[in-house]
Amino acid sequence: MTDRPGFTPDDVLRGLALPRRVALVVAGLGGLAMAILVSTLWATEPDPLPTRTRIAFAGVIVLGLAWAGVAGWTLARRPLFAADRVIAAGLALVASVTVSAATVAVTAAQAGPAAVLTALGVGAVAVVAAAGTLVRARAHRRALLDRARRLGNS
């Protein structure tokens, strides 16, 4: 028996962050798969796509690569920091606003008012959820920074 614990601080932090790491792997692989799938679809089209479709495909590819980049960057660092949550939540808000705006624009051009209201409602729910996540992530980070300042002054 020894006085020292069997786990290093890195082991403990990794163990606590496992669910978050799995979620990041899923988000990163999902974003990368989405970007590859849309890129392949775009590259294999026999005829030139309309401008709106090209813009939409480019946006989806950028968002997918952004998720893959954030996930890879976060997973490469140990431990996970509160700033990582803020960055991911900001990316989620940007993606939600962008996709919602594009969906409403396409729906307004192609469908009636009921479909536009539905698109607005679904988009609003997505944007509010992402904004709430960003607010929570910032508050969590702020609380941790305040705690670190208090501990540093003790």
Side-chain angles (χ1 to χ4, degrees):
M1 189 176 271
T2 66
D3 292 335
R4 301 183 69 190
F7 295 106
T8 67
D10 283 340
D11 291 335
V12 172
L13 286 171
R14 271 193 218 116
L16 293 175
L18 182 62
R20 202 171 287 152
R21 289 188 186 283
V22 170
L24 282 166
V25 168
V26 169
L29 290 177
L32 187 61
M34 180 175 62
I36 290 170
L37 179 68
V38 173
S39 298
T40 304
L41 180 63
W42 193 356
T44 57
E45 281 295 314
D47 298 324
L49 295 171
T51 303
R52 287 187 306 192
T53 306
R54 285 184 282 173
I55 291 170
F57 276 18
V60 168
I61 292 167
V62 167
L63 288 173
L65 292 176
W67 275 114
V70 166
W73 173 69
T74 304
L75 289 169
R77 301 179 336 147
R78 286 197 177 35
L80 290 178
F81 295 107
D84 301 334
R85 292 170 111 182
V86 173
I87 291 168
L91 180 58
L93 182 60
V94 168
S96 298
V97 168
T98 304
V99 170
S100 297
T103 302
V104 169
V106 169
T107 305
Q110 302 292 327
V116 172
L117 287 175
T118 302
L120 275 170
V122 171
V125 168
V127 169
V128 167
T133 303
L134 181 58
V135 168
R136 281 185 30 226
R138 284 184 175 170
H140 179 71
R141 183 171 186 269
R142 195 175 316 111
L144 288 175
L145 289 173
D146 289 343
R147 187 180 302 164
R149 272 190 228 105
R150 277 185 277 138
L151 290 172
N153 293 335
S154 302

